[in-house]
């Protein structure tokens, strides 16, 4: 068993081994490096703000970490020069402080770019900041090496492999960093792909989801060997995963594959208007496991992707977004039929949402039936914005028709029945 590392408290070294003249030189180096770093960024950044939009991501990152990173580089150079003739304990503390600041800002920036959920971002930001600053405090006080040694002492051997709490901690940290980096890079790729308007939207979404999955898997496979974990042990996990897919995870795997099929065959696209069972709404997202359907009343319906593959779905905007609305209405037999049909047509023509195109899409009034109480008419109109809702359009047309019917003396009849009473005379006996 190796001995724990000696306790090297940077604060004690600063207080016990540094003289006033030495402190002055070190604080002078800090001040010069700070001014140079701040001044350099003040000079560089305005000259890059007018760069092409594709460099926007790099400019945002440079704005956040540019000054502390440049100061860190300058202090490292100044420390190498100054320590040739005097102790540099102040600079030894400044280096990890600036390094921790750069690391916190970098990871937080990557998280904000990679994640969309505000709650998730806040939780991860606090966790990362606390872990980094606690690790820095332990490093400055000299306790970090001893804690790491204690974690490494809790270990066991499995064949030729050595496992310990320290190895587990390193693996978790590296895997989290790899996943964050993969998500950040996937978001970067997504931003670039969404700008390629020549590609179909579904194809872009499929490429984005495939890229994100491959990057996460690649990041984990790279992180594990770095901490000394042989990835061949994952073969056992792969076998267990296969059994799990066969038994309990079959539906999840089916939804995942169905999501890619939907994106590749382009049968459903974001913005399409669907009727799924009793639900009707606009496709707002096609995710890995489910498709989000936003109903016209504001509610959101989560539909498993497998359902969209195996069930009959009505896509109102697959090849064309235009849909036809039928508006039934009845008038009495005593009302002028031609005048009623003209009022119905005028109400549709004057509405801005109703299409006025060729003879096929122009508003038309049809006589559907001669009913018991009146003549059944149907106003057929075409619209190109089904996401705007049909109930509100129907209500506005009915209101216009009602006003014009009252002005034109056209009656909407009540149900009526004619009853004839036949009297029979009694036969005399």
């Amino acid at each position: 068993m190796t001995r724990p590392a000696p306790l090297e408290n940077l604060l004690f070294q600063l207080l016990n081994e540094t003289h006033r003249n030495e402190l002055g030189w070190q604080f002078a180096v800090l001040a010069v490096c700070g001014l140079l770093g701040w001044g350099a960024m003040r000079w560089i950044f305005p000259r890059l703000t007018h760069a092409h939009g594709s460099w926007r991501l790099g400019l945002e990152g440079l704005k956040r970490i540019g000054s502390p990173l440049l100061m860190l580089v300058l202090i490292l150079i100044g420390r190498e020069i100054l320590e040739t003739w005097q102790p540099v304990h102040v600079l030894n503390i400044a280096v990890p402080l600036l390094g921790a600041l750069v690391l916190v800002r970098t990871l937080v920036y990557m998280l904000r770019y990679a994640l969309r959920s505000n709650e998730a971002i806040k939780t991860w930001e606090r966790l990362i900041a606390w872990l980094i600053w606690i690790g820095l405090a332990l490093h400055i006080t000299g306790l970090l090496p001893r804690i790491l040694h204690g974690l490494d002492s809790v270990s066991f051997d499995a064949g030729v492999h050595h496992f310990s709490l320290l190895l587990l901690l390193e693996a978790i940290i590296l895997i989290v960093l790899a996943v964050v980096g993969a998500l950040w890079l996937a978001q970067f790729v997504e931003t670039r792909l969404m700008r390629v308007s020549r590609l179909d939207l579904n194809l872009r979404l499929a490429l984005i989801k495939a890229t994100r999955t491959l990057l996460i898997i690649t990041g984990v496979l790279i992180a594990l060997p770095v901490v000394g974990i042989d990835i061949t042990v994952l073969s056992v996990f792969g076998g267990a995963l296969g059994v799990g897919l066969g038994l309990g995870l079959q539906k999840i795997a089916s939804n995942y594959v169905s999501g890619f099929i939907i994106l590749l065959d382009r049968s459903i696209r974001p913005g399409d208007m669907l009727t799924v069972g009793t639900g009707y709404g606009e496709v707002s997202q096609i995710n890995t496991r489910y498709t989000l359907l936003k109903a016209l009343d504001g509610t959101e319906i989560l539909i498993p992707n497998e359902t969209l593959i195996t069930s009959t779905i009505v896509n109102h905007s697959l090849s064309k977004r235009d849909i036809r609305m039928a508006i039934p209405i009845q008038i009495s037999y005593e009302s002028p039929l031609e005048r009623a049909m003209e009022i119905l047509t005028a109400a549709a023509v004057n509405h801005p949402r109703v299409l006025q195109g060729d003879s096929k899409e122009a508003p038309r009034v049809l006589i559907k039936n001669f009913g018991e109480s009146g003549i059944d008419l149907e106003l057929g109109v075409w619209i190109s914005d089904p996401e705007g809702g049909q109930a509100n359009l129907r209500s506005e047309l009915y209101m216009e028709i009602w006003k014009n019917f009252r002005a034109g003396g056209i009656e909407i009849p009540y149900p009526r029945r004619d009853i004839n009473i036949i009297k029979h005379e009694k036969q005399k006996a």
Side-chain angles (χ1 to χ4, degrees):
M1 179 182 294
T2 59
R3 293 183 178 181
L7 187 63
E8 296 183 358
N9 193 313
L10 298 180
L11 292 177
F12 288 166
Q13 292 178 2
L14 173 63
L15 296 175
N16 297 331
E17 302 179 13
T18 305
H19 304 289
R20 292 184 177 179
N21 293 334
E22 296 171 350
L23 285 176
W25 280 106
Q26 293 177 76
F27 282 119
V29 170
L30 285 177
V32 171
C33 293
L35 289 175
L36 287 176
W38 177 79
M41 290 306 303
R42 292 277 294 181
W43 181 83
I44 293 174
F45 194 77
R47 288 161 175 76
L48 300 177
T49 53
H50 302 292
H52 192 268
S54 60
W55 294 96
R56 182 178 178 182
L57 175 63
L59 291 177
E60 289 294 327
L62 181 64
K63 183 179 180 180
R64 292 178 179 272
I65 67 172
S67 294
L69 182 60
L70 187 56
M71 290 171 60
L72 177 61
V73 173
L74 294 174
I75 290 175
L76 287 173
I77 297 173
R79 187 180 67 173
E80 291 295 324
I81 297 173
L82 191 61
E83 69 178 353
T84 56
W85 70 80
Q86 71 167 53
V88 287
H89 300 307
V90 174
L91 300 183
N92 288 336
I93 295 177
V95 167
L97 282 173
L98 283 172
L101 179 61
V102 171
L103 186 58
V104 168
R105 288 191 175 185
T106 302
L107 292 178
V108 168
Y109 171 66
M110 293 175 67
L111 280 173
R112 288 181 180 177
Y113 186 76
L115 301 179
R116 300 293 181 88
S117 174
N118 292 330
E119 293 300 324
I121 290 176
K122 293 178 181 178
T123 302
W124 279 100
E125 283 180 1
R126 295 192 192 100
L127 180 61
I128 289 174
W130 275 103
L131 289 177
I132 292 177
W133 292 118
I134 289 174
L136 174 64
L138 294 175
H139 170 71
I140 291 177
T141 57
L143 296 176
L144 184 60
R146 298 206 169 193
I147 294 176
L148 296 179
H149 176 79
L151 293 175
D152 190 48
S153 63
V154 183
S155 62
F156 66 93
D157 294 326
V160 297
H161 301 289
H162 177 78
F163 297 95
S164 65
L165 288 180
L166 178 60
L167 182 65
L168 177 62
L169 180 62
E170 292 175 348
I172 293 174
I173 293 174
L174 282 179
I175 289 175
V176 170
L177 292 177
V179 171
V180 171
L183 291 175
W184 177 83
L185 189 57
Q187 190 67 28
F188 179 81
V189 173
E190 177 181 351
T191 304
R192 296 301 182 272
L193 283 177
M194 292 304 292
R195 294 176 181 173
V196 184
S197 58
R198 294 186 299 272
L199 292 178
D200 182 77
L201 178 59
N202 276 27
L203 180 58
R204 282 178 276 172
L205 292 175
L207 290 174
I208 288 168
K209 294 183 182 299
T211 302
R212 181 180 288 110
T213 303
L214 291 176
L215 286 174
I216 292 176
I217 294 175
T218 303
V220 173
L221 292 179
I222 292 176
L224 291 178
V226 171
V227 295
I229 298 178
D230 189 357
I231 60 176
T232 56
V233 300
L234 294 179
S235 59
V236 179
F237 174 76
L241 180 61
V243 175
L245 290 176
L247 296 178
L249 302 178
Q250 183 178 2
K251 289 292 184 180
I252 296 177
S254 177
N255 287 323
Y256 187 83
V257 175
S258 298
F260 278 96
I261 294 176
I262 291 172
L263 291 173
L264 292 176
D265 66 9
R266 307 176 187 178
S267 57
I268 298 174
R269 296 160 297 185
D272 284 353
M273 302 301 298
L274 301 184
T275 297
V276 184
T278 58
Y280 172 78
E282 179 183 4
V283 177
S284 60
Q285 295 179 18
I286 302 178
N287 296 312
T288 302
R289 186 182 62 84
Y290 62 88
T291 294
L292 186 62
L293 197 68
K294 188 172 183 180
L296 299 181
D297 58 0
T299 58
E300 294 179 328
I301 308 171
L302 303 180
I303 303 173
N305 289 329
E306 184 186 14
T307 302
L308 301 177
I309 295 294
T310 59
S311 304
T312 301
I313 307 300
V314 180
N315 191 336
H316 300 276
S317 52
L318 178 60
S319 59
K320 194 174 182 181
R321 296 186 61 82
D322 299 350
I323 63 172
R324 183 182 184 274
M325 288 179 52
I327 301 174
I329 197 166
Q330 188 180 69
I331 63 172
S332 64
Y333 284 104
E334 291 78 13
S335 301
L337 177 59
E338 293 81 1
R339 177 59 182 160
M341 297 177 71
E342 292 175 359
I343 291 175
L344 291 174
T345 304
V349 169
N350 294 330
H351 199 282
R353 289 185 58 191
V354 176
L355 297 179
Q356 312 294 334
D358 52 21
S359 58
K360 177 183 177 181
E361 295 181 347
R364 296 184 62 186
V365 180
L366 303 175
I367 301 175
K368 300 293 291 185
N369 189 29
F370 292 103
E372 295 180 355
S373 303
I375 303 174
D376 296 325
L377 303 178
E378 180 184 274
L379 172 62
V381 298
W382 288 82
I383 60 175
S384 61
D385 55 346
E387 66 278 1
Q390 299 183 29
N392 54 354
L393 174 61
R394 194 182 304 271
S395 175
E396 293 169 3
L397 290 175
Y398 272 135
M399 178 60 69
E400 185 68 20
I401 292 169
W402 170 253
K403 293 178 181 178
N404 293 330
F405 272 12
R406 296 188 65 182
I410 297 174
E411 179 186 357
I412 298 176
Y414 295 102
R416 185 176 67 182
R417 296 290 187 273
D418 293 333
I419 300 175
N420 296 322
I421 300 176
I422 302 175
K423 297 181 179 180
H424 297 278
E425 295 181 356
K426 294 182 179 179
Q427 296 180 357
K428 295 180 179 180

